[in-house]
Short mmCIF file of all heavy atoms in Angstrom, two decimals:
data_model
loop_
_atom_site.label_atom_id
_atom_site.label_comp_id
_atom_site.label_asym_id
_atom_site.label_seq_id
_atom_site.Cartn_x
_atom_site.Cartn_y
_atom_site.Cartn_z
N SER A 1 89.19 85.28 93.33
CA SER A 1 88.77 84.93 94.69
C SER A 1 89.11 86.09 95.62
O SER A 1 90.13 86.75 95.44
CB SER A 1 89.47 83.65 95.16
OG SER A 1 90.86 83.81 95.21
N ILE A 2 88.24 86.33 96.59
CA ILE A 2 88.42 87.42 97.55
C ILE A 2 88.68 86.83 98.92
O ILE A 2 87.96 85.94 99.39
CB ILE A 2 87.17 88.32 97.60
CG1 ILE A 2 86.87 88.91 96.22
CG2 ILE A 2 87.38 89.45 98.63
CD1 ILE A 2 87.95 89.83 95.67
N LYS A 3 89.70 87.33 99.59
CA LYS A 3 90.07 86.86 100.92
C LYS A 3 90.09 88.03 101.88
O LYS A 3 90.71 89.06 101.60
CB LYS A 3 91.45 86.20 100.88
CG LYS A 3 91.92 85.70 102.25
CD LYS A 3 93.33 85.11 102.15
CE LYS A 3 93.79 84.60 103.51
NZ LYS A 3 95.19 84.07 103.46
N GLU A 4 89.41 87.90 103.01
CA GLU A 4 89.46 88.95 104.02
C GLU A 4 90.76 88.84 104.82
O GLU A 4 91.21 87.74 105.14
CB GLU A 4 88.26 88.87 104.95
CG GLU A 4 88.21 90.02 105.95
CD GLU A 4 86.88 90.16 106.66
OE1 GLU A 4 85.98 89.34 106.42
OE2 GLU A 4 86.75 91.13 107.45
N VAL A 5 91.34 89.97 105.16
CA VAL A 5 92.57 90.01 105.95
C VAL A 5 92.24 89.64 107.39
O VAL A 5 91.44 90.32 108.05
CB VAL A 5 93.21 91.41 105.88
CG1 VAL A 5 94.35 91.54 106.88
CG2 VAL A 5 93.70 91.70 104.47
N THR A 6 92.86 88.57 107.87
CA THR A 6 92.60 88.12 109.24
C THR A 6 93.88 87.84 110.02
O THR A 6 93.83 87.69 111.23
CB THR A 6 91.74 86.84 109.25
OG1 THR A 6 92.41 85.82 108.49
CG2 THR A 6 90.37 87.10 108.65
N THR A 7 95.01 87.77 109.33
CA THR A 7 96.28 87.44 110.00
C THR A 7 97.31 88.52 109.74
O THR A 7 97.14 89.39 108.88
CB THR A 7 96.83 86.10 109.48
OG1 THR A 7 97.20 86.25 108.09
CG2 THR A 7 95.80 85.00 109.61
N LYS A 8 98.40 88.48 110.48
CA LYS A 8 99.49 89.43 110.28
C LYS A 8 100.09 89.29 108.89
O LYS A 8 100.45 90.29 108.25
CB LYS A 8 100.57 89.22 111.34
CG LYS A 8 100.15 89.67 112.73
CD LYS A 8 101.31 89.51 113.73
CE LYS A 8 100.91 90.00 115.11
NZ LYS A 8 102.01 89.85 116.09
N SER A 9 100.21 88.07 108.41
CA SER A 9 100.77 87.87 107.07
C SER A 9 99.83 88.42 106.00
O SER A 9 100.29 88.98 104.99
CB SER A 9 101.05 86.38 106.81
OG SER A 9 99.87 85.62 106.91
N ASP A 10 98.52 88.30 106.23
CA ASP A 10 97.55 88.91 105.30
C ASP A 10 97.72 90.43 105.27
O ASP A 10 97.68 91.05 104.21
CB ASP A 10 96.11 88.59 105.74
CG ASP A 10 95.73 87.15 105.54
OD1 ASP A 10 96.40 86.45 104.76
OD2 ASP A 10 94.75 86.72 106.18
N LEU A 11 97.87 91.01 106.46
CA LEU A 11 98.01 92.46 106.54
C LEU A 11 99.28 92.93 105.84
O LEU A 11 99.28 93.96 105.15
CB LEU A 11 98.00 92.92 108.00
CG LEU A 11 98.09 94.43 108.23
CD1 LEU A 11 96.96 95.16 107.52
CD2 LEU A 11 98.06 94.75 109.73
N LYS A 12 100.36 92.20 106.01
CA LYS A 12 101.60 92.56 105.31
C LYS A 12 101.41 92.47 103.80
O LYS A 12 101.90 93.33 103.06
CB LYS A 12 102.74 91.65 105.76
CG LYS A 12 103.27 91.96 107.15
CD LYS A 12 104.46 91.07 107.49
CE LYS A 12 105.00 91.42 108.88
NZ LYS A 12 106.16 90.54 109.25
N ALA A 13 100.69 91.46 103.36
CA ALA A 13 100.41 91.34 101.93
C ALA A 13 99.58 92.51 101.43
O ALA A 13 99.80 93.05 100.34
CB ALA A 13 99.69 90.02 101.65
N PHE A 14 98.61 92.94 102.26
CA PHE A 14 97.76 94.08 101.92
C PHE A 14 98.61 95.35 101.77
O PHE A 14 98.48 96.10 100.79
CB PHE A 14 96.72 94.27 103.03
CG PHE A 14 95.74 95.39 102.80
CD1 PHE A 14 94.54 95.17 102.16
CD2 PHE A 14 96.03 96.68 103.24
CE1 PHE A 14 93.64 96.21 101.96
CE2 PHE A 14 95.13 97.72 103.05
CZ PHE A 14 93.93 97.48 102.40
N VAL A 15 99.48 95.60 102.74
CA VAL A 15 100.30 96.82 102.74
C VAL A 15 101.34 96.79 101.62
O VAL A 15 101.63 97.82 101.00
CB VAL A 15 100.98 96.98 104.12
CG1 VAL A 15 102.07 98.05 104.07
CG2 VAL A 15 99.94 97.33 105.18
N LYS A 16 101.87 95.62 101.32
CA LYS A 16 102.96 95.52 100.35
C LYS A 16 102.49 95.37 98.90
O LYS A 16 103.31 95.49 97.98
CB LYS A 16 103.88 94.36 100.72
CG LYS A 16 104.69 94.60 101.99
CD LYS A 16 105.65 93.45 102.26
CE LYS A 16 106.52 93.71 103.46
NZ LYS A 16 107.48 92.60 103.72
N PHE A 17 101.21 95.13 98.68
CA PHE A 17 100.74 94.92 97.30
C PHE A 17 101.12 96.07 96.36
O PHE A 17 101.57 95.83 95.23
CB PHE A 17 99.23 94.68 97.27
CG PHE A 17 98.67 94.65 95.87
CD1 PHE A 17 99.03 93.64 94.99
CD2 PHE A 17 97.82 95.66 95.43
CE1 PHE A 17 98.52 93.62 93.69
CE2 PHE A 17 97.32 95.65 94.14
CZ PHE A 17 97.67 94.63 93.26
N PRO A 18 100.96 97.35 96.76
CA PRO A 18 101.33 98.43 95.83
C PRO A 18 102.81 98.42 95.43
O PRO A 18 103.16 98.94 94.36
CB PRO A 18 100.99 99.70 96.61
CG PRO A 18 99.96 99.27 97.60
CD PRO A 18 100.37 97.88 97.99
N PHE A 19 103.67 97.86 96.26
CA PHE A 19 105.09 97.79 95.92
C PHE A 19 105.29 96.94 94.67
O PHE A 19 106.19 97.21 93.87
CB PHE A 19 105.90 97.21 97.09
CG PHE A 19 106.05 98.17 98.24
CD1 PHE A 19 105.02 98.37 99.14
CD2 PHE A 19 107.23 98.87 98.41
CE1 PHE A 19 105.16 99.26 100.20
CE2 PHE A 19 107.38 99.77 99.47
CZ PHE A 19 106.34 99.96 100.36
N LYS A 20 104.46 95.94 94.52
CA LYS A 20 104.51 95.11 93.31
C LYS A 20 103.83 95.82 92.14
O LYS A 20 104.37 95.86 91.02
CB LYS A 20 103.81 93.77 93.59
CG LYS A 20 103.62 92.89 92.38
CD LYS A 20 102.76 91.68 92.73
CE LYS A 20 102.43 90.85 91.49
NZ LYS A 20 101.52 89.72 91.81
N LEU A 21 102.67 96.40 92.40
CA LEU A 21 101.89 97.03 91.34
C LEU A 21 102.62 98.22 90.72
O LEU A 21 102.58 98.42 89.50
CB LEU A 21 100.54 97.48 91.91
CG LEU A 21 99.52 98.04 90.91
CD1 LEU A 21 99.07 96.97 89.94
CD2 LEU A 21 98.31 98.61 91.67
N TYR A 22 103.32 99.00 91.56
CA TYR A 22 103.95 100.24 91.09
C TYR A 22 105.47 100.14 91.02
O TYR A 22 106.16 101.17 90.99
CB TYR A 22 103.56 101.40 92.01
CG TYR A 22 102.09 101.73 91.95
CD1 TYR A 22 101.24 101.36 92.99
CD2 TYR A 22 101.55 102.40 90.86
CE1 TYR A 22 99.88 101.65 92.94
CE2 TYR A 22 100.20 102.69 90.80
CZ TYR A 22 99.38 102.32 91.84
OH TYR A 22 98.04 102.61 91.78
N LYS A 23 106.00 98.93 90.95
CA LYS A 23 107.45 98.77 91.00
C LYS A 23 108.16 99.46 89.84
O LYS A 23 109.32 99.85 89.96
CB LYS A 23 107.82 97.29 91.03
CG LYS A 23 107.43 96.52 89.78
CD LYS A 23 107.83 95.06 89.89
CE LYS A 23 107.44 94.29 88.62
NZ LYS A 23 107.85 92.86 88.72
N ASP A 24 107.47 99.65 88.72
CA ASP A 24 108.09 100.28 87.56
C ASP A 24 107.70 101.75 87.40
O ASP A 24 108.06 102.39 86.41
CB ASP A 24 107.72 99.51 86.28
CG ASP A 24 108.24 98.09 86.29
OD1 ASP A 24 109.36 97.88 86.79
OD2 ASP A 24 107.52 97.18 85.81
N SER A 25 106.95 102.30 88.37
CA SER A 25 106.51 103.69 88.27
C SER A 25 107.52 104.63 88.92
O SER A 25 107.93 104.41 90.06
CB SER A 25 105.15 103.87 88.96
OG SER A 25 104.79 105.24 89.02
N LYS A 26 107.88 105.67 88.21
CA LYS A 26 108.80 106.67 88.77
C LYS A 26 108.04 107.79 89.49
O LYS A 26 108.67 108.72 90.01
CB LYS A 26 109.70 107.24 87.70
CG LYS A 26 108.99 107.95 86.56
CD LYS A 26 109.99 108.40 85.50
CE LYS A 26 109.31 109.09 84.33
NZ LYS A 26 110.28 109.52 83.29
N TYR A 27 106.71 107.70 89.51
CA TYR A 27 105.91 108.74 90.14
C TYR A 27 105.29 108.30 91.46
O TYR A 27 104.79 109.13 92.21
CB TYR A 27 104.80 109.20 89.18
CG TYR A 27 105.33 109.68 87.85
CD1 TYR A 27 104.99 109.02 86.66
CD2 TYR A 27 106.20 110.77 87.78
CE1 TYR A 27 105.48 109.46 85.45
CE2 TYR A 27 106.70 111.20 86.56
CZ TYR A 27 106.34 110.54 85.40
OH TYR A 27 106.83 110.96 84.19
N TRP A 28 105.30 107.01 91.74
CA TRP A 28 104.72 106.49 92.97
C TRP A 28 105.74 106.63 94.10
O TRP A 28 106.90 106.26 93.96
CB TRP A 28 104.33 105.03 92.80
CG TRP A 28 103.79 104.38 94.03
CD1 TRP A 28 102.62 104.67 94.67
CD2 TRP A 28 104.39 103.31 94.78
NE1 TRP A 28 102.45 103.84 95.76
CE2 TRP A 28 103.52 103.00 95.86
CE3 TRP A 28 105.58 102.58 94.64
CZ2 TRP A 28 103.80 102.00 96.79
CZ3 TRP A 28 105.86 101.58 95.57
CH2 TRP A 28 104.99 101.30 96.62
N ALA A 29 105.30 107.16 95.24
CA ALA A 29 106.14 107.28 96.42
C ALA A 29 105.67 106.24 97.44
O ALA A 29 104.55 106.32 97.94
CB ALA A 29 106.06 108.67 97.03
N PRO A 30 106.49 105.25 97.75
CA PRO A 30 106.06 104.18 98.66
C PRO A 30 105.75 104.71 100.05
O PRO A 30 106.41 105.63 100.54
CB PRO A 30 107.27 103.24 98.71
CG PRO A 30 108.10 103.60 97.53
CD PRO A 30 107.87 105.05 97.27
N PRO A 31 104.77 104.13 100.72
CA PRO A 31 104.56 104.46 102.12
C PRO A 31 105.64 103.80 102.97
O PRO A 31 106.37 102.93 102.49
CB PRO A 31 103.18 103.86 102.41
CG PRO A 31 103.13 102.66 101.52
CD PRO A 31 103.84 103.09 100.25
N ILE A 32 105.74 104.22 104.22
CA ILE A 32 106.62 103.54 105.17
C ILE A 32 105.84 102.33 105.69
O ILE A 32 104.77 102.48 106.30
CB ILE A 32 107.03 104.48 106.31
CG1 ILE A 32 107.81 105.67 105.74
CG2 ILE A 32 107.88 103.74 107.34
CD1 ILE A 32 108.09 106.76 106.76
N ILE A 33 106.33 101.15 105.43
CA ILE A 33 105.59 99.93 105.72
C ILE A 33 105.17 99.85 107.18
O ILE A 33 104.02 99.53 107.49
CB ILE A 33 106.42 98.69 105.32
CG1 ILE A 33 106.58 98.65 103.80
CG2 ILE A 33 105.76 97.41 105.82
CD1 ILE A 33 107.56 97.59 103.31
N SER A 34 106.09 100.15 108.08
CA SER A 34 105.77 100.05 109.51
C SER A 34 104.64 101.01 109.89
O SER A 34 103.79 100.68 110.74
CB SER A 34 107.01 100.33 110.35
OG SER A 34 107.53 101.64 110.09
N GLU A 35 104.60 102.20 109.27
CA GLU A 35 103.54 103.15 109.57
C GLU A 35 102.20 102.71 109.01
O GLU A 35 101.15 102.90 109.63
CB GLU A 35 103.92 104.54 109.03
CG GLU A 35 105.08 105.19 109.74
CD GLU A 35 104.81 105.43 111.21
OE1 GLU A 35 103.71 105.92 111.55
OE2 GLU A 35 105.70 105.11 112.04
#
C-alpha cells in the first residue's frame, strides 16, 4: 500500500526510514534529522 505524506508524523517516518534500512551498514552516513 502507498501512502502520501500529509502530516508531521508521516514526514518524520519518511526522514527516519533509512535509519531502519541501513541500521547494520557501516558505510551509510545518517543525515541530520532536523535538517
Side-chain angles (χ1 to χ4, degrees):
S1 62
I2 302 297
K3 178 183 181 183
E4 185 166 2
V5 170
T6 58
T7 67
K8 289 183 178 180
S9 60
D10 289 342
L11 182 57
K12 285 184 179 179
F14 182 92
V15 168
K16 290 184 176 181
F17 172 66
F19 287 78
K20 172 187 174 184
L21 186 65
Y22 294 105
K23 64 180 180 179
D24 297 322
S25 172
K26 60 183 179 181
Y27 304 117
W28 177 66
I32 299 171
I33 293 171
S34 60
E35 292 299 315

